Amino acid sequence: MAKIEHHTHVTLEELEDNLTRFRLKDYIRQCEDEFDALVIGIAEQARKNPMIRAIFISGPTASGKTTFNHKLSEYLHKSNIPTCEISLDDYYYFHESRTDEYGRPDYESLEILDVDLMVSQIKQLFNGDTVKVPCFDFSVKNRVPEKARELTLPHNGVLLVEGLHGLSKTVSGELSKEKWLGVFIMPFATLNDDYKLLDKRDIRILRRISRDVLHRGATALATIDYWPMLDYSEGVYFPEYLANADIYVNSFIPYEFYCIAPVAHNMIKQALENYGNGTIVDSNFTSHPGFAQIDLALKEANRLLDATAKIPGINISLVPETSLLNEFIK
């Protein structure tokens, strides 16, 4: 069982101190190198153990699972270990699902995935067969057939599987435990001034706001309004998934406050202005028009707006092309 540890404490004073031109460049490089070292360490574990045929990766939304998966694949290839990457998000298929009492659909349960196809294709890959993995586009909430990929796992390769349910026994059940590694990934940090400004949950909300607005046709208010469903599902699934993990990875990148917080701040501000003048679009995370709990969402949005207003910003062009942060801001 992995343990959530290595909590990172950041203060506003530290953020401001690192903003001098040359110190910022070094600080960004240091943050990226420290995260890459975690990825390299896991790749080394797989390289040193030839029995490992798969690495299953799980973690809550906006933890950086997709980029972590790509980085891990890259480092394994550098060690002459071929890989085959799967995102469980591509097995989504939207159908009628349960909702909470406020009309939030449950898009987080294992049952929202095409489990039969997923399990079948993972089994086929381990058998050396070629499979055609679907591609799901969240902006249209449907599969895009022309983007489906043909994959084959080489006999000496490692299958990399990432997703919310990546450490479900339903996903890993085709392999005995000695043949796979389990990774649980999640940012674990706080930003403090004279009091706590942002915590690990807030970090993921800001990341997800940016990604939802940029890539999923949502507003910041819609993302915030949906978050109680995410809180609920994480409470249901993640004790089991953490118990199934061998390794915990803290995906917090300390300088991300400079770039993600200001981006999310502007998105929250725009959503609140649109709500105030009556031009806000309905949430795309409810089963009915409007929002689930608008008063709660407005309160949370204003709290995040106030907190992020205190954080200095940088040009996102300073974020390296290989950074995990690009999953949320580009």
Side-chain angles (χ1 to χ4, degrees), residues 144-216:
V144 183
E146 58 269 25
K147 292 186 179 180
R149 299 174 299 140
E150 285 195 350
L151 296 179
T152 306
L153 180 64
H155 75 279
N156 63 332
V158 174
L159 178 64
L160 304 178
V161 180
E162 64 87 7
L164 181 69
H165 300 287
L167 284 169
S168 165
K169 291 181 180 178
T170 301
V171 177
S172 62
E174 291 299 322
L175 280 186
S176 55
K177 184 61 190 78
E178 66 269 14
K179 293 184 178 180
W180 59 269
L181 286 175
V183 178
F184 191 91
I185 180 171
M186 182 183 74
F188 187 35
T190 54
L191 175 65
N192 300 296
D193 191 10
D194 294 328
Y195 56 93
K196 184 189 296 183
L197 281 179
L198 298 168
D199 62 16
K200 64 182 186 296
R201 178 178 180 270
D202 298 327
I203 291 166
R204 293 192 295 112
I205 293 175
L206 297 178
R207 287 179 173 188
R208 171 109 181 215
I209 284 173
S210 180
R211 185 174 66 189
D212 282 355
V213 173
L214 291 174
H215 301 295
R216 297 187 177 180

Side-chain angles (χ1 to χ4, degrees), residues 82-99:
T83 64
C84 183
E85 296 178 58
I86 285 182
S87 171
L88 297 186
D89 284 356
D90 284 324
Y91 292 94
Y92 266 89
Y93 72 115
F94 278 96
H95 54 82
E96 186 173 348
S97 60
R98 77 168 189 89
T99 63

Side-chain angles (χ1 to χ4, degrees), residues 203-248:
I203 291 166
R204 293 192 295 112
I205 293 175
L206 297 178
R207 287 179 173 188
R208 171 109 181 215
I209 284 173
S210 180
R211 185 174 66 189
D212 282 355
V213 173
L214 291 174
H215 301 295
R216 297 187 177 180
T219 67
L221 205 53
T223 298
I224 294 169
D225 186 55
Y226 186 67
W227 208 266
M229 176 60 79
L230 297 171
D231 286 336
Y232 168 79
S233 66
E234 289 163 14
V236 170
Y237 293 109
F238 287 139
E240 173 194 344
Y241 296 169
L242 190 60
N244 291 340
D246 302 293
I247 305 160
Y248 165 69

Side-chain angles (χ1 to χ4, degrees), residues 299-330:
K299 181 179 179 181
E300 183 77 342
N302 278 292
R303 179 185 70 82
L304 291 170
L305 188 72
D306 290 343
T308 52
K310 301 177 184 292
I311 301 172
I314 62 172
N315 193 312
I316 63 172
S317 65
L318 294 173
V319 178
E321 287 297 319
T322 57
S323 177
L324 174 147
L325 301 181
N326 289 312
E327 188 174 328
F328 309 103
I329 59 176
K330 293 184 179 179

